[in-house]
Amino acid sequence: MRAAPLAVTALAAALLLTGCSGDNDSSGGDKATASPDNGTTCRIGAMDVEVGPANVAPAAGDTGNIPVTLTNQSADCTLDGFPGVDLKAADSSASLAPAQGATATKLTLAKGTAATFTLTYTRGEADAGASLDVTTLEIGLPGADTRKSFKWSYGPVQGKGGKAADPTASVGAFTQAGD
């Protein structure tokens, strides 16, 4: 009689391991990678991503803040590092650095739980050489290869030192959202 429970246990383990492979899934091919606590790296394709509502910078020189909330829709996973954020314009793009003084914390997200981070930017003048006329916001997670794109509707971003390719913008660390 012990053969049946052992067979069921073996089948369940095989199915569980098959479900964790991450190969060629709908997230664009990110592979779930092992992390030191035996969890998996969170994948953007397994997240419900909400951008905003934003505290939009109304005029050139003003600062705006855009919260981004990621809700895990899959198995437990880990965020370890900073989000990867690129601002894309028609003919150029720029990757954002972490906010000055920000410290990355390692978060484990169970299915249905959320984390958030904030993108802060200074609005630039439209069609100015010192501003990046952003059209798309691209977000990726640490340790994963794929990204999700979102329409940018917050105006141009001011460049540092008159250089549009070096935007005055940064990303904050992940924090646990909710209760």
Side-chain angles (χ1 to χ4, degrees), residues 71-142:
T71 305
N72 185 13
Q73 300 299 316
S74 189
D76 290 8
C77 66
T78 302
L79 293 169
D80 190 7
F82 284 93
V85 176
D86 292 338
L87 300 179
K88 302 224 175 227
D91 58 356
S92 63
S93 67
S95 296
L96 302 186
Q100 186 174 3
T103 303
T105 57
K106 186 175 187 176
L107 295 178
T108 298
L109 297 180
K111 183 175 182 175
T113 61
T116 187
F117 69 90
T118 301
L119 183 155
T120 302
Y121 72 101
T122 300
R123 186 164 183 154
E125 293 184 35
D127 301 318
S131 296
L132 185 63
D133 289 321
V134 180
T135 58
T136 306
L137 169 66
E138 202 171 77
I139 300 171
L141 301 180

Side-chain angles (χ1 to χ4, degrees), residues 16-172:
L16 181 62
L17 289 173
T18 302
C20 291
S21 72
D23 290 333
N24 299 320
D25 62 12
S26 62
S27 69
D30 268 348
K31 293 182 180 176
T33 56
S35 62
D37 64 355
N38 294 326
T40 56
T41 299
C42 291
R43 297 172 295 131
I44 195 85
M47 297 283 172
D48 178 30
V49 182
E50 180 181 352
V51 178
N55 172 17
V56 178
D62 291 340
T63 300
N65 297 297
I66 305 166
V68 177
T69 304
L70 307 151
T71 305
N72 185 13
Q73 300 299 316
S74 189
D76 290 8
C77 66
T78 302
L79 293 169
D80 190 7
F82 284 93
V85 176
D86 292 338
L87 300 179
K88 302 224 175 227
D91 58 356
S92 63
S93 67
S95 296
L96 302 186
Q100 186 174 3
T103 303
T105 57
K106 186 175 187 176
L107 295 178
T108 298
L109 297 180
K111 183 175 182 175
T113 61
T116 187
F117 69 90
T118 301
L119 183 155
T120 302
Y121 72 101
T122 300
R123 186 164 183 154
E125 293 184 35
D127 301 318
S131 296
L132 185 63
D133 289 321
V134 180
T135 58
T136 306
L137 169 66
E138 202 171 77
I139 300 171
L141 301 180
D145 295 332
T146 60
R147 294 174 173 258
K148 277 190 179 178
S149 295
F150 301 89
K151 181 177 172 35
W152 178 271
S153 58
Y154 311 110
V157 177
Q158 179 65 44
K160 295 177 188 168
K163 297 178 184 175
D166 187 15
T168 305
S170 62
V171 294

